[in-house]
Amino acid sequence: MKDILSEIIAHKQTEIQLQQQAVSLEQLQEQAEYLLRENAPQRRSMKQALAASPTGIIAEFKRRSPSKGWINREARAEEIPASYEAAGAAALSILTDEKFFGGILRDLRAARPLVGIPILRKDFIISRYQLLQACVAGADAVLLIAACLRPEQCELLTHQAHELGLEVLLEVHSVSELSYIHKETDMVGVNNRNLGSFVTDVENSFRIAGQLQQVARQEGSPLLVSESGISAPETLLRLRAAGFRGFLIGEAFMKTEQPGETLGKLITEANKASHLQ
C-alpha cells in the first residue's frame, strides 16, 4: 500500500518552511521565553494525570484521517474538548495537522483556557520550531513518533521539549522501535495503527507488551499508553491488565453526534465491567 507517512513528512517539511517565513524561529523563541519568564504557565503533567486516573483515557479531538476522510468536519474545539473533560477524560489529544487530519494549532489555543486537564499536541513533530509552537499555544505534552525520526533526533527533541516544560509521549509501533526509549522518555505509546498503510489492529499492543515493559523498566519506567482502535470497555480492561495506563481514543468518539457523551458511556461501561471481574 501507499506509504502515507512518507507523504505526510514531506509535506510537513514544506509546511514548516512556510510557517517560518511568517513567524521566524527567533520570534517564536522570544514568545516562548517571554511566556516562561513572565507568565510562568503552570504545565500540567500528563504522565501524572494518567497514572492517577481510574480510566486513563486520552480523548482525542480529530476531524478527519488520511484513510477514512472526514469524521466530523464541523467539530468545534471550543466545545468538544470541554465536553471530554466533563465526561471524565484524564487528558486531551488535539490534532494540529491541517492537510491530512483537518486540525490546526488554533484548535489547541481555543481549547486551552476552557479545560484544566493536560493537552497533548498531536502532530508529526520533526523540529524544535514545532516544540516552540506547542509551548506558545499552551500544550502540556507533545507526541514524538519513532517512525518519523532517527534515535538521536528523538533524544534531542525530547531534551528540548523538557527545556520548554513539555512532557513527551514517544510513539512506537513495533519491537524494533523500542530502542528509541531512553531515560528522559516520559510516556511510551504503542500505536495500533500502521502509519504506512493506516491499517489498525489493537492486538499490536498486546503483542509487544511484554518486551515493552522490560525495556521500560530498564529506562526509568515511562508510563505506557495504547493508541488507536480502542472502543470496547473489555479492551480497556485487557490493556490495563497488560500494563497500560493510558488509552488514546479519538475516532470512536468523534464519529458520534456527542463525543463527550459517548466517552461518558464508555467510562460507565468500563466501571461496570471492572466490578464484575
Side-chain angles (χ1 to χ4, degrees):
M1 293 184 68
K2 182 180 180 181
D3 188 345
I4 303 175
L5 182 60
S6 296
E7 183 182 351
I8 291 173
I9 295 304
H11 181 268
K12 191 61 59 177
Q13 291 169 337
T14 301
E15 179 181 276
I16 294 169
Q17 290 175 358
L18 292 173
Q19 289 172 342
Q20 287 183 311
Q21 291 176 15
V23 180
S24 70
L25 177 68
E26 291 73 25
Q27 288 174 309
L28 205 54
Q29 176 72 41
E30 288 178 6
Q31 291 179 40
E33 288 177 352
Y34 175 81
L35 284 172
L36 294 170
R37 181 179 65 250
E38 301 296 332
N39 295 343
Q42 183 62 48
R43 301 288 175 191
R44 300 152 181 85
S45 171
M46 183 171 162
K47 181 179 181 179
Q48 291 179 13
L50 295 176
S53 171
T55 58
I57 293 177
I58 308 164
E60 187 160 271
F61 182 79
K62 171 182 176 180
R63 293 192 181 92
R64 74 182 302 269
S65 80
S67 59
K68 297 186 178 180
W70 290 103
I71 299 167
N72 193 332
R73 190 167 192 161
E74 305 304 321
R76 288 173 51 80
E78 296 85 357
E79 298 173 357
I80 292 175
S83 75
Y84 280 154
E85 180 178 31
L92 300 171
S93 168
I94 297 184
L95 261 299
T96 60
D97 175 85
E98 185 171 11
K99 179 176 174 63
F100 297 92
F101 290 88
I104 195 167
L105 202 56
R106 194 180 305 121
D107 292 331
L108 200 158
R109 292 195 192 99
R112 176 71 283 168
L114 304 177
V115 299
I117 55 179
I119 297 179
L120 169 77
R121 181 191 182 183
K122 190 175 182 185
D123 209 315
F124 298 85
I125 291 178
I126 56 176
S127 77
R128 182 168 177 270
Y129 187 83
Q130 294 163 291
L131 298 178
L132 291 167
Q133 287 178 321
C135 175
V136 172
D140 302 291
V142 292
L143 182 74
L144 295 182
I145 304 173
C148 299
L149 303 163
R150 299 188 305 276
E152 61 271 21
Q153 284 180 298
C154 186
E155 191 163 350
L156 176 60
L157 287 170
T158 298
H159 180 71
Q160 292 174 339
H162 286 170
E163 288 183 329
L164 295 170
L166 301 168
E167 289 185 335
V168 168
L169 172 59
L170 168 65
E171 179 177 294
V172 300
H173 179 71
S174 63
V175 170
S176 64
E177 293 174 337
L178 298 185
S179 59
Y180 279 73
I181 302 172
H182 56 90
K183 299 210 179 283
E184 283 196 70
T185 305
D186 302 297
M187 298 163 282
V188 179
V190 177
N191 196 347
N192 300 315
R193 179 174 291 119
N194 184 307
L195 289 178
S197 65
F198 268 70
V199 172
T200 303
D201 178 13
V202 74
E203 291 301 315
N204 190 51
S205 284
F206 297 105
R207 280 193 291 269
I208 69 173
Q211 287 165 278
L212 172 59
Q213 289 187 59
Q214 184 177 359
V215 174
R217 283 194 294 269
Q218 295 170 351
E219 297 294 343
S221 298
L223 185 133
L224 306 185
V225 177
S226 180
E227 307 171 17
S228 302
I230 305 166
S231 59
E234 294 79 13
T235 304
L236 276 176
L237 297 178
R238 286 179 61 215
L239 286 165
R240 182 170 281 276
F244 295 92
R245 291 296 175 265
F247 313 94
L248 194 149
I249 307 174
E251 189 174 317
F253 302 146
M254 292 297 297
K255 67 183 181 182
T256 65
E257 289 188 9
Q258 299 294 332
E261 289 183 12
T262 307
L263 165 60
K265 290 177 183 176
L266 177 61
I267 290 175
T268 298
E269 291 171 3
N271 288 336
K272 287 181 180 178
S274 65
H275 290 146
L276 292 175
Q277 291 186 339

